[in-house]
Amino acid sequence: MKPPPFAYHDPSTLEEAISLLSTLPNARPLAGGQSMMPMLNMRFAQPDHLVDLNRIAGLDGVTVEPDGALTIGAMARQRVLEQHPEVARRCPLMVEALAQVGHRQTRNRGTIGGSLCHLDPAAELPLVAAAMEAVVRVAGPNGQRDIAFADFAQGYMTPEMEPEELLVAVRIPAQPAGAGHCFLEYARRHGDFAIASVAVMLVPDAVGRIAEARVALGGVGAVPLRLPEAEAALRGAPDVSRAVAATKTLEPMEDALVPAWYRRHLAGVLLGRALVIAQSRMGRA
Amino acid sequence: MSDVLHRVRMTVNARAATIAVEARRTLAEALREDLGLTGTHLGCEHGVCGACTVLMDGAPVRACLVLAVQAEGAAIRTVEGLAAPDGTLHPLQQAFADHHALQCGYCTPGFLMLAMAMLEENPAMEEAEMVERLSSNLCRCTGYAGILAAVRSVMRR
Amino acid sequence: MSVIGRSVPRLEDPPLLRGEGAFAADISFPRQLHMRVVRAEMAHARLLAVDVSAALALPGVVAVWTGEDVATIPPIPFRATKLKGLEPYCQPILARGRVRYVGEPVAVVFAENAALAEDAADLVVADLEELPALLDAAAPPRDFDATHATEPAILRKSYGDVEAGFAAAHAVLDLDLSIGRHSGVPLETRGAIARYDAASDTLELHGTAKKQHWNRDEIARLLGRSPTSVHLFEGHVGGGFGVRGELYPEDLLVCLAALRLRRPVKWIEDRREHLVATNHSRQQRHRLRAAVDAEGRLIAIDNVFFHDQGAYVRTHGARVADMSAGLLLGPYAVPAYRATGHFRLTNKTPAATYRAPGRYEGTFVRERLMDAIAARLGLDRVEVRRRNFVPVSAMPFTRPLDALGTDVVLDSGDYALLLDKALARFGWEARQADIARRRAAGESVGLGLGFFVEKSGLGPSDGVRMSVDPTGVVELVTGAASVGQGVETALAQIAADALGVDYRCVRVVRGQTNRIEFGSGAHASRVTVMSGSATHLAGLALRDLALGTAATLLQAPKESLTIVDGMVCRADGPALPIGEVARALAAGTKLSRERAVPGLTTEGWFHSDHMTYPYGVHLAQVALDRMTGAVAVEHYLVAYDVGRAVNPKLVEGQIIGGFAQGLGGALFEEFRYDERGQPLSTTLADYLMPTIAEMPPLDVLVTEDAPSPLNPLGVKGAGEGGTNAVGAAIASAIDDALGNKGLVTRLPVTPREVLRLLGEIEA
Ligand code: FES
Ligand code: FES
């Protein structure tokens, strides 16, 4: 289980990295390595060139925008975000999710950008991005562009970007005032990839009714899914059982290890539990 | 292209070390094969077992998931650096012996480095957090009771 | 005070704590080559051709072999078994003509480094023509090859009149029970490093474990050498659990390569290989019928089972099936019994022993039966067991059965006493009341138990050599091996106790075939019993020799001397370090010439025709999450009578570690395959071993109420009791939580299975 041979590049600027990726054949970027390295060791990934992003300065910042949104550099380590006061203040959903991303040891290396680009359907951070309606910033030879996460995350483990493009940052709108959130997942062992997961955000109006609900589910589709029927059922006078029943229409992937019905069932269970918690955390706008 | 050797300078257990490695060499292999520090073990090489845990700039990482070339300039600590120069065991190592925290000893270096980081970060850690942190490594022999007892014993009450 | 029975610190720990261990991958020799195995990617296929040209062309590759290149080497043999006709099913060291499981070695590459060897292995192309895969051992057998079927043997054991028993039955129970495929999966994968020393014409194999002497003899035989020209060495072993140290194709391949290529050859298994290439275990399906009387007493048991051996018969032959048949009855007296074991091959990784082999399976089956009897007759589950126990008054108790080639004679045991102690310690009554309250409040909670009899100390013989050097250090050379359990410490304690020295002065040499001619290794919880007894006898003999010699030196009658802490003492004061006694016996000294043999040295041998039978009970409390199906083990007790504990802390460590493995098999671990026989559990993210977060609150009660009459120490082996009944007890508790309807019939019990069963009750 040794990685295949590859040429290693460690550019110090973003421009350099993009030019390497756009000129070298079969080149892959390397972020925190917590998914890429196992794939290399097991030779599931066989790049001819590996472009290491770890020495590029300025890609790991956390900044607060004038509108209160967070802009997080793609190379920000998961462990840093987990402890970051601004993340805790503006996106507690992410902090709750991060505690369940692998183990502390892997979070010490793992990055937010790496996780979003790996786009494992059961991973926590893509689910947070879906629930928070994040916008990712992608840089390529022709400059930068912003993509709504929902558009970015369209294909199974394949984000909508070109091989020579790099994710440089993710913008996460601040959690609205008084919003109640909850992130829950179910895995066989602590630290494993979830069989199913759910991220919920309930945004209240001035009198404490649910003005907007966001429900995102992981592990039950090729990519993180939003569940509009459930969201609609929760607005105004919330009908929790109708929201939970909406999971019955899900068509999770069937694999030999986990049958689809079990993922679907868990999604409903987790959603029901998460809504109770999120409601209890909700205040007023 | 695989023939290209990269020079990597790092400090390992407070000593400067320079090696020349293929890009594909993992940090764990470099420690074992290029520096002869075979105390860092490999149990899976895909990031699940934690047997390869070392401290990289103070933080525990899985050395099978870091390339040696990425350790350029880093300070690495391994199990070989725990005991005093005269051979006296570190209190954590002694606690592992006292509490029967090892049988075959294969997982032990990884657990020692993990526990070392826990101790340095928060020497008054609550039991629940200890369990949470220790759950990142696997032991197939002990059932973990001795490991937890050992770590608990070195934490400040 | 004797050092036996004390939890002294382990002698093994210091190098392991410092990172100075010598595990297989830590061993390297100058100029070594690295071997990489190319493995079959189909479960069953005709192997039409293997193209190695691209691999050979890669710079740094020294050789690539296929089955044709090793055609003269016989297949991997098996150890003694009474069954006839297993030979055609042995595994060739490289496949020829057909591949029979994903992971079967098809070719090997030898290259200058490990990564390069892997590069080259990726270039080897095997031309396979897929055949249908046979994956269910309970399905009708098919063809293994042109002349053999996939059922090499049917094991039959029986006594008493089974049919009459069923005819007279008050009730007949009919159960269909399955145990999932799982295995030892030590944290260290296998490794083998061979070196040929032409100067002395000696072949060395490093990285070995468990069965060095047998493996040495077989390697020598298969390679056409004399056993004295082959040496096996054991360094540190990162866990054994039954799977490590058996003779595998890779061991032969590195030896052959070292001889042919005249360079040291190193092979380190990677984890993915390990999960498809190292022995699996446990997979068995039982169709059990039992006849009982109106009081719930067993009258007869008919045990028909299907053993899923995987693709080939390996070194154990049919041992696991043999023990599943011969040891099923555990602690119960059963007037008539019949076992019919279908020993069958499938297109999966070959299987063999794993900690408590045949007993983990058998205990699950038997204890499910006891619960079923209780449910059927409306009796208390504990009471049904009590009524069927072999009573103390019947000990030693002979069953008209054999297992592992020896008659089953339960040597000693007070089963009812241990059950009482365990129930009290666990708080069974109080917990039952609490459970009733919680159920009334809507929770799904339950209690379960599994009683079992283990076996240990497999004979027939074991010997050690013990010597004292002039510095007073005692060297104990044993043919036993260590897989990390603390063998050195336990043997040192026994030696020190018999001789009268500090146990820290004892150096234990194990697993080196060039240091002792005979050895039986470490398996079947035999080391403490067999090697321990031999050590005890050697220690006594050495003490006698030391005292006799010192009598001359100290000019006092031998009977008046004692040895305390390494000093031979005269009652009135003068004393002599034991090293001085050794010096007085050095070659050429007057005393040594009088004795004809120099040295303060002796051999000790222990022989035994029967095994010892430790016993225990596991008690579990579980709660089911009705929504996710998750099983939370809320409390657990292992009570185990080991006859006598040499080092209680080590015994407890064995039990707790063994429990964790049993828990894995009960709830988490399973090697799964898709319908074409592709393995699905090929990483440690898919093969779920418990972490510390999965460990429940665990209590351990070690008792010494029934010392074995079969050995001078009274010891019984402690290695497997923590594992034995975990599947049984947890299944029993889950079933209790589901209303004791006998719904739990299969291990591991997964959350979705629990959900399904919950659904069944609700429906
Ligand atoms: S060897 Fe690195 S995590 Fe297992
Ligand atoms: S002591 Fe053997 S794996 Fe932990």
Side-chain angles (χ1 to χ4, degrees):
Chain A
M1 212 181 271
K2 312 295 175 203
F6 52 78
Y8 175 76
H9 309 268
D10 59 339
S12 51
T13 66
L14 185 60
E15 295 66 38
E16 216 184 316
I18 290 168
S19 112
L20 286 166
L21 284 171
S22 49
T23 52
L24 296 170
N26 189 20
R28 295 282 299 267
L30 174 66
Q34 303 304 288
S35 301
M36 187 59 170
M37 283 299 297
M39 299 216 307
L40 281 173
N41 289 354
M42 295 196 267
R43 299 194 174 204
F44 293 154
Q46 305 221 7
D48 291 318
H49 297 271
L50 202 59
V51 179
D52 188 349
L53 309 179
N54 283 277
R55 303 223 173 249
I56 301 175
L59 271 188
D60 60 353
V62 175
T63 46
V64 179
E65 304 292 330
D67 66 353
L70 285 169
T71 295
I72 301 175
M75 288 298 290
R77 308 275 173 198
Q78 293 156 2
R79 177 65 188 147
V80 170
L81 299 176
E82 193 181 352
Q83 295 172 295
H84 201 289
E86 290 298 344
V87 178
R89 187 169 312 136
R90 288 159 206 280
C91 190
L93 180 72
M94 183 182 291
V95 178
E96 193 160 86
L98 277 165
Q100 303 178 63
V101 177
H103 293 280
R104 176 87 68 92
Q105 276 195 60
T106 59
R107 300 199 290 274
N108 282 333
R109 294 284 302 167
T111 63
I112 185 170
S115 176
L116 294 183
C117 290
H118 187 56
L119 204 57
D120 189 295
E124 292 82 0
L125 289 173
L127 195 57
V128 171
M132 295 304 291
E133 299 182 346
V135 174
V136 296
R137 176 156 299 168
V138 161
N142 305 320
Q144 305 201 336
R145 60 192 179 109
D146 287 350
I147 315 171
F149 185 77
D151 299 325
F152 177 77
Q154 284 288 330
Y156 174 68
M157 294 186 85
T158 37
E160 289 297 315
M161 57 195 274
E162 301 303 320
E164 65 273 16
E165 286 183 317
L166 278 174
L167 191 153
V168 290
V170 53
R171 182 179 187 282
I172 298 185
Q175 195 163 311
H181 69 277
C182 183
F183 187 98
L184 285 181
E185 68 176 40
Y186 182 77
R188 292 297 311 279
R189 288 182 309 185
H190 179 75
D192 283 348
F193 267 122
I195 298 174
S197 49
V198 53
V200 167
M201 174 77 66
L202 301 177
V203 184
D205 60 16
V207 293
R209 272 186 325 213
I210 298 174
E212 185 196 351
R214 294 187 212 154
V215 172
L217 296 164
V220 292
V223 292
L225 297 178
R226 289 282 291 271
L227 204 55
E229 304 91 312
E231 295 176 350
L234 292 166
R235 269 193 297 273
D239 183 343
V240 171
S241 52
R242 193 154 67 86
V244 170
T247 58
K248 298 225 164 38
T249 62
L250 293 168
E251 287 176 17
M253 52 270 180
E254 179 92 36
D255 64 53
L257 285 174
V258 186
W261 71 262
Y262 187 54
R263 290 186 193 273
R264 190 184 306 120
H265 170 83
L266 283 179
V269 171
L270 292 172
L271 178 56
R273 290 180 180 175
L275 285 173
V276 172
I277 297 171
Q279 276 180 301
S280 75
R281 287 171 175 171
M282 199 177 75
R284 286 155 194 249
Chain B
M1 73 196 149
S2 62
D3 299 326
V4 179
L5 292 186
H6 298 255
R7 200 158 69 124
V8 181
R9 282 151 305 195
M10 48 190 170
T11 53
V12 179
N13 298 330
R15 282 212 178 136
T18 304
I19 52 174
V21 292
E22 270 189 84
R24 59 165 147 176
R25 192 77 134 176
T26 64
L27 175 59
E29 280 187 290
L31 292 167
R32 293 179 50 82
E33 308 296 334
D34 299 294
L35 293 169
L37 297 172
T38 54
T40 299
H41 295 156
L42 291 170
C44 70
E45 294 177 276
H46 52 259
V48 181
C49 75
C52 63
T53 303
V54 301
L55 304 190
M56 184 168 178
D57 296 326
V61 298
R62 305 216 192 285
C64 71
L65 299 188
V66 178
L67 292 171
V69 285
Q70 295 185 295
E72 168 70 32
I76 306 293
R77 285 157 65 196
T78 71
V79 66
E80 288 90 345
L82 288 182
D86 71 354
T88 309
L89 293 180
H90 186 277
L92 185 63
Q93 290 169 305
Q94 190 57 50
F96 267 56
D98 295 345
H99 295 273
H100 193 22
L102 62 152
Q103 288 183 27
C104 80
Y106 198 77
C107 69
T108 309
F111 270 106
L112 282 169
M113 299 319 289
L114 175 62
M116 200 57 205
M118 290 162 60
L119 197 57
E120 288 176 353
E121 242 171 70
N122 177 9
M125 197 176 278
E126 294 299 325
E127 175 127 348
E129 193 183 345
M130 287 185 228
V131 170
E132 141 87 31
R133 297 287 299 271
L134 292 170
S135 74
S136 82
N137 286 21
L138 290 172
C139 171
R140 193 58 162 166
C141 301
T142 64
Y144 306 100
I147 296 172
L148 181 61
V151 174
R152 195 193 288 126
S153 78
V154 293
M155 289 285 171
R156 220 189 303 125
R157 301 282 125 173
Chain C
M1 187 175 132
S2 170
V3 69
I4 293 186
R6 284 172 48 205
S7 295
V8 296
R10 296 206 320 166
L11 299 174
E12 293 87 342
D13 288 350
L16 296 171
L17 288 165
R18 292 195 171 94
E20 295 173 340
F23 295 93
D26 304 341
I27 297 162
S28 285
F29 295 106
R31 295 181 64 246
Q32 72 191 6
L33 291 169
H34 292 260
M35 181 174 90
R36 176 79 186 172
V37 181
V38 181
R39 298 181 183 276
E41 291 177 355
M42 284 183 188
H44 192 199
R46 253 186 276 284
L47 177 58
L48 303 174
V50 183
D51 182 356
V52 303
S53 53
L56 263 179
L58 204 65
V61 172
V62 172
V64 184
W65 296 347
T66 68
E68 301 306 316
D69 299 291
V70 298
T72 56
I73 308 295
I76 302 284
F78 45 83
R79 297 200 287 276
T81 175
K82 278 193 199 162
L83 279 184
K84 299 273 177 282
L86 299 184
E87 289 78 6
Y89 303 95
C90 288
Q91 181 167 7
I93 62 173
L94 289 176
R96 295 180 68 199
R98 241 199 235 206
V99 296
R100 294 188 171 86
Y101 66 97
V102 173
E104 178 166 3
V106 165
V108 272
V109 172
F110 303 94
E112 297 292 343
N113 68 57
L116 193 61
E118 198 168 330
D119 297 345
D122 285 352
L123 299 175
V124 173
V125 186
D127 187 2
L128 297 174
E129 183 187 301
E130 191 163 5
L131 296 167
L134 175 58
L135 299 168
D136 180 3
R142 297 187 195 158
D143 291 341
F144 177 80
D145 58 24
T147 47
H148 299 91
T150 55
E151 183 169 71
I154 300 177
L155 285 88
R156 296 182 197 278
K157 293 181 201 270
S158 69
Y159 66 84
D161 191 339
V162 174
E163 295 313 326
F166 279 97
H170 168 75
V172 172
L173 296 109
D174 211 327
L175 282 75
D176 186 344
L177 301 163
S178 302
I179 300 95
R181 177 172 271 256
H182 61 284
S183 194
V185 192
L187 205 58
E188 184 195 21
T189 56
R190 288 180 296 144
I193 308 94
R195 171 165 76 158
Y196 176 64
D197 178 12
S200 65
D201 184 28
T202 307
L203 177 68
E204 293 178 0
L205 181 62
H206 299 260
T208 70
K210 186 179 178 182
K211 290 296 291 178
Q212 281 85 7
H213 285 83
W214 188 83
N215 289 355
R216 172 199 62 185
D217 294 349
E218 290 303 318
I219 290 171
R221 185 174 67 79
L222 299 171
L223 298 180
R225 302 181 59 85
S226 87
T228 49
S229 74
V230 179
H231 291 326
L232 267 60
F233 298 92
E234 176 177 81
H236 285 115
V237 178
F241 316 127
V243 301
R244 181 82 191 275
E246 291 299 329
L247 191 61
Y248 288 91
E250 294 87 353
D251 299 305
L252 259 304
L253 287 164
V254 290
C255 287
L256 189 62
L259 290 171
R260 286 191 186 167
L261 304 174
R262 288 299 204 256
R263 288 176 67 176
V265 177
K266 179 170 183 169
W267 173 71
I268 300 299
E269 182 180 56
D270 74 33
R271 182 56 68 183
R272 213 160 21 145
E273 290 184 283
H274 179 90
L275 294 171
V276 297
T278 297
N279 288 342
H280 287 184
S281 195
R282 298 268 202 261
Q283 190 168 19
Q284 217 156 265
R285 178 167 174 188
H286 289 250
R287 297 231 170 94
L288 195 76
R289 288 195 318 131
V292 292
D293 67 16
E295 275 73 53
R297 284 196 186 80
L298 287 157
I299 305 173
I301 290 181
D302 185 16
N303 171 25
V304 177
F305 65 97
F306 303 88
H307 178 87
D308 186 339
Q309 168 60 29
Y312 293 99
V313 176
R314 278 190 173 167
T315 44
H316 286 95
R319 263 172 190 240
V320 178
D322 179 70
M323 290 188 279
S324 298
L327 298 171
L328 182 99
L329 303 178
Y332 307 122
V334 182
Y337 173 67
R338 178 170 63 213
T340 312
H342 296 271
F343 181 68
R344 288 185 178 168
L345 302 183
T346 56
N347 294 114
K348 298 182 234 174
T349 299
T353 58
Y354 169 36
R355 206 169 197 174
R359 283 97 74 195
Y360 187 88
E361 301 88 322
T363 296
F364 170 70
V365 168
R366 178 188 66 246
E367 296 301 297
R368 291 277 65 220
L369 170 65
M370 301 315 277
D371 281 357
I373 295 171
R376 172 75 73 84
L377 301 185
L379 296 169
D380 179 67
R381 290 180 293 163
V382 174
E383 179 57 26
V384 167
R385 286 163 169 92
R386 246 189 254 283
R387 285 184 190 171
N388 283 286
F389 278 152
V390 171
V392 198
S393 56
M395 293 288 172
F397 181 79
T398 305
R399 285 195 199 283
L401 277 178
D402 64 274
L404 295 178
T406 64
D407 294 336
V408 178
V409 182
L410 303 177
D411 54 337
S412 62
D414 188 339
Y415 302 149
L417 176 65
L418 184 67
L419 182 59
D420 288 341
K421 286 185 176 181
L423 292 171
R425 171 85 161 235
F426 187 72
W428 180 266
E429 295 296 330
R431 283 181 193 277
Q432 283 214 306
D434 190 46
I435 291 274
R437 264 194 300 280
R438 290 173 63 186
R439 277 189 192 150
E443 282 190 80
S444 291
V445 282
L447 298 180
L449 76 163
F451 205 101
F452 66 98
V453 172
E454 253 301 324
K455 58 117 214 119
S456 66
L458 181 60
S461 300
D462 218 6
V464 300
R465 186 178 303 125
M466 202 191 289
S467 329
V468 181
D469 75 14
T471 66
V473 167
V474 181
E475 187 184 61
L476 176 71
V477 186
T478 165
S482 170
V483 285
Q485 331 88 307
V487 162
E488 285 105 312
T489 303
L491 291 183
Q493 285 178 260
I494 294 169
D497 171 72
L499 184 57
V501 299
D502 187 320
Y503 83 105
R504 286 166 296 193
C505 296
V506 183
R507 291 170 58 91
V508 178
V509 178
R510 38 85 191 166
Q512 322 289 325
T513 58
N514 61 345
R515 293 298 315 279
I516 187 163
E517 298 73 21
F518 306 98
S520 300
H523 62 103
S525 292
R526 64 183 308 287
V527 175
T528 314
V529 176
M530 294 301 298
S531 315
S533 296
T535 299
H536 176 74
L537 297 178
L540 292 181
L542 200 57
R543 181 170 186 276
D544 192 59
L545 176 59
L547 291 176
T549 309
T552 315
L553 299 171
L554 288 169
Q555 299 189 332
K558 183 174 154 190
E559 297 68 40
S560 70
L561 300 178
T562 54
I563 309 181
V564 178
D565 218 2
M567 298 295 288
V568 188
C569 310
R570 220 165 71 180
D572 58 346
L576 197 61
I578 197 165
E580 287 298 322
V581 180
R583 203 185 299 275
L585 282 173
T589 58
K590 183 163 160 291
L591 283 174
S592 77
R593 286 161 67 173
E594 280 168 15
R595 200 186 148 231
V597 205
L600 182 48
T601 178
T602 186
E603 279 191 15
W605 279 88
F606 181 70
H607 310 280
S608 177
D609 293 332
H610 290 291
M611 296 191 281
T612 65
Y613 293 88
Y615 55 94
V617 57
H618 289 201
L619 300 173
Q621 176 176 324
V622 305
L624 311 181
D625 181 328
R626 302 183 63 86
M627 302 302 286
T628 63
V631 177
V633 182
E634 298 185 322
H635 193 70
Y636 203 95
L637 169 74
V638 178
Y640 197 30
D641 194 292
V642 297
R644 188 175 180 201
V646 173
N647 184 319
K649 198 163 206 165
L650 298 191
V651 168
E652 205 172 291
Q654 284 293 303
I655 290 174
I656 298 172
F659 165 79
Q661 291 190 308
L663 181 71
L667 294 176
F668 297 101
E669 297 174 30
E670 187 172 22
F671 291 112
R672 302 184 54 193
Y673 290 82
D674 73 8
E675 66 286 350
R676 287 169 73 189
Q678 287 295 325
L680 302 172
S681 319
T682 56
T683 73
L684 292 190
D686 304 305
Y687 186 81
L688 305 179
M689 300 197 282
T691 76
I692 189 172
E694 281 70 52
M695 286 294 285
L698 176 64
D699 189 13
V700 175
L701 173 66
V702 175
T703 61
E704 300 179 312
D705 291 325
S708 176
L710 300 182
N711 65 68
L713 297 165
V715 294
K716 298 178 177 180
E720 302 171 271
T723 308
N724 186 310
V726 188
I730 288 190
S732 172
I734 294 173
D735 211 48
D736 188 39
L738 293 168
N740 262 317
K741 299 197 174 59
L743 296 174
V744 179
T745 58
R746 188 181 186 285
L747 296 178
V749 191
T750 61
R752 62 171 190 276
E753 178 67 5
V754 170
L755 266 188
R756 199 179 63 78
L757 297 176
L758 280 163
E760 248 168 51
I761 332 177
E762 278 154 14

